[in-house]
Amino acid sequence: MTNGTQVEIPQDRIRNFCIIAHIDHGKSTLADRFLLRTDTISEREFTNQMLDDMDLEKERGITIKAKAVTMRYVAEDGLAYRFNLIDTPGHVDFCYEVSRSLAACEGALLVVDASQGVEAQTVANTYLAREQGLEIIPVINKVDLAVARPEAVEKEMTSTFGFYAGEALRCSARSGAGVQEILEAIVHLVPAPSGSRDAPLRALIFDSHYDEFRGVIVYVSVKEGVLNTGDQILLMSGQHRYQVDEVGFFTPRMTPHARLQAGEVGYLIANIKGIHDIKIGDTVTLRSGAASDALPGFDNPQPMVFCGIYPTDNSQFEELRDALDKLWLNDSSFTRGPETSEALGFGFRCGFLGLLHMEIVQERIERESGVEVVQTAPTVTYEVLLNRGEIVTISAPADLPDPSITAEIREPIVQARIVLPTEYIGSIMKIMGEKRGTFLTTNYLSPARAQLLYEVPLAEIIIDFYDKLKSTTRGYGTLDYSMTGYRPGDLVKLNILVNGEPVDALSMIVHRSVAERRGRALLKKLKEVIPMHLFQIPLQAAIGGRIVARETIRAMAKNVTAKCYGGDITRKRKLLEKQKEGKRRMKQVGSVEIPQDAFLAVLRLEEEEKR
């Protein structure tokens, strides 16, 4: 190995840091530049977005998973330092990845685009870093762009975060200008890790993934003590015991090393085959001389969006279960539990941090396991107050208790932070009014940019609001949100009946004021995607026992009188009556085949309404 990470480095010359920023502000490009500048990767081995190694990340141009990499940097004072960098996602749906990464660091580079300025997720990630007590180094990236405005952006950072004037470093990750100054700032400003190497071992599990041949690969940040190859270890939360086969660093490939010491970030392999033995946030210690207390770990993320995931072929249910288990090991921010649907069979009810997270999980399942899945319409969690005073939480419309025993339904409310150019404030305020948002305040980051704060029902913004925000602000508006609690609302369950039978996978909980419009739009979409049968199919939307909308899919028609050339009209009438009676009989015994597209129709309701 050429980059020297095998050489022992004193603890006071270790720097653990991450890069936090909004989407597309240059995190991954800056990480690439660090890899080249420290000779961790040679020019021959280099490809763009080195740390974004998933196909989905390269295709979408976003970071989905936090990645760790160890680099050796020789500073201007001639001393060698070990840098442990964790590249984090920027999208609000992956904020849990960011929070886990921050726990393994002592410092953070806050990267802001010189043309776009402070964005919503920039603010959210900075607050996360400050809550963890990290040393924050402000960086203005892309200063070489023709539209760059570094002075204005620095004023935004000063007014928003309280940095001093001139404190922000300026660079171009694409060209490499200013990167050396950032590396030196990491040496001088990011504190060294403080844990003692003589104390009992305590290592924090901050990520993991499953390898078909070697079992679970565990990502650890060693806070205290030393972890050696061959050690007998104990996972403290479940008291599971293993022997370490290998420890090492990410360079960015897994590179074996004799030991990991306090302050270092790396991986361990211990032939762990039981996926459920590993818990993100757990503490690894030694079986002999074990630590008395576990590390604080992480708060369990609260899923925001739920949907049902079912295999297209019911015989692949077990394969889907295994795929979800392995994926959960690598992404513990989604939840899953068994669910049964009359329309779709056996599947799982899964919870996600947002719609993009939901979409990414579905794509990863299909790509990594080969199981084709169908998703039901997304929904959020609701609290239901029953007449007897009990509060139940539901994540599926089918679980909503009978109205006769329900006192009120409470919907989740989020605080939305929208950063946008000032000329679009009026348009966005109008949209937020339509979404039942409650205005809180406006903060001006600069004369040209503002941050709007709203309280709004989560259900109103998860499906189409982000697209509306981007189109209305010509791409310059950004959104971040955080949960604030539950609030009573005039909510009803909208049932969808196909051929007189309710389809639980298509039902939804909506505000009463939009129930009829939503039901009519969904029926029109279903009429397009459900094929004609040999009998007429009525489609109905109902609230309780009241039908609020109806569409009809006409029956396939065969011309049974085609061979009747002239003659008495009564023969034609007899044939038509016979056909009519046959269709009536078929309607009673026939079943309607509902294609997969029907279950995604809810996502396209807004398109239907616009048309």
Side-chain angles (χ1 to χ4, degrees), residues 410-428:
R410 300 168 183 169
E411 59 186 337
I413 304 297
V414 297
Q415 185 180 88
R417 291 177 288 275
I418 305 167
V419 176
L420 74 171
T422 52
E423 64 261 34
Y424 301 115
I425 289 178
S427 301
I428 295 303

Side-chain angles (χ1 to χ4, degrees), residues 250-508:
F250 297 99
T251 65
R253 299 174 186 85
M254 291 193 301
T255 305
H257 190 48
R259 67 184 62 85
L260 292 176
Q261 304 184 84
E264 295 181 333
V265 176
Y267 69 90
L268 73 85
I269 301 172
N271 195 30
I272 302 172
K273 298 298 185 183
I275 290 175
H276 298 284
D277 291 357
I278 295 298
K279 180 186 173 190
I280 302 301
D282 198 0
T283 301
V284 179
T285 189
L286 298 179
R287 287 171 59 180
S288 58
S292 56
D293 300 317
L295 294 165
F298 307 106
D299 294 331
N300 289 326
Q302 295 299 314
M304 296 281 196
V305 180
F306 289 81
C307 78
I309 293 184
Y310 296 82
T312 304
D313 182 351
N314 285 328
S315 65
Q316 291 187 304
F317 175 76
E318 291 300 329
E319 287 92 329
L320 177 59
R321 184 202 300 276
D322 292 343
L324 284 170
D325 282 347
K326 290 176 182 177
L327 188 56
W328 178 83
L329 189 67
N330 189 235
D331 180 6
S332 60
S333 59
F334 81 92
T335 61
R336 74 265 189 249
E339 181 182 65
T340 306
S341 164
E342 291 181 10
L344 298 170
F346 294 101
F348 294 88
R349 191 76 185 167
C350 299
F352 308 92
L353 300 182
L355 276 189
L356 177 63
H357 188 208
M358 181 182 83
E359 188 181 332
I360 293 296
V361 167
Q362 182 203 351
E363 285 200 45
R364 288 188 67 184
I365 289 170
E366 293 186 338
R367 290 187 186 210
E368 295 172 17
S369 69
V371 178
E372 288 191 14
V373 299
V374 56
Q375 286 179 315
T376 62
T379 183
V380 298
T381 55
Y382 294 91
E383 285 186 351
V384 182
L385 175 64
L386 303 180
N387 292 335
R388 59 177 180 267
E390 182 185 353
I391 296 176
V392 296
T393 301
I394 64 164
S395 61
D399 299 334
L400 190 66
D402 189 272
S404 63
I405 63 170
T406 301
E408 67 181 19
I409 305 174
R410 300 168 183 169
E411 59 186 337
I413 304 297
V414 297
Q415 185 180 88
R417 291 177 288 275
I418 305 167
V419 176
L420 74 171
T422 52
E423 64 261 34
Y424 301 115
I425 289 178
S427 301
I428 295 303
M429 292 182 83
K430 181 180 177 183
I431 293 174
M432 290 302 289
E434 295 170 355
K435 297 290 184 183
R436 298 188 286 127
T438 302
F439 174 74
L440 298 178
T441 184
T442 301
N443 299 319
Y444 285 89
L445 306 179
S446 71
R449 290 167 62 76
Q451 177 181 256
L452 298 179
L453 286 182
Y454 269 88
E455 280 193 344
V456 60
L458 176 61
E460 295 286 348
I461 65 171
I462 61 167
I463 292 181
D464 67 319
F465 176 73
Y466 192 72
D467 292 338
K468 278 189 170 183
L469 172 66
K470 285 296 184 184
S471 61
T472 303
T473 62
R474 299 187 180 181
Y476 290 107
T478 58
L479 168 72
D480 174 62
Y481 56 83
S482 55
M483 186 79 170
T484 62
Y486 288 83
R487 183 184 300 164
D490 187 11
L491 304 170
V492 294
K493 179 182 177 182
L494 185 67
N495 281 313
I496 302 299
L497 289 78
V498 177
N499 200 26
E501 294 294 326
V503 181
D504 54 353
L506 291 175
S507 62
M508 64 182 84

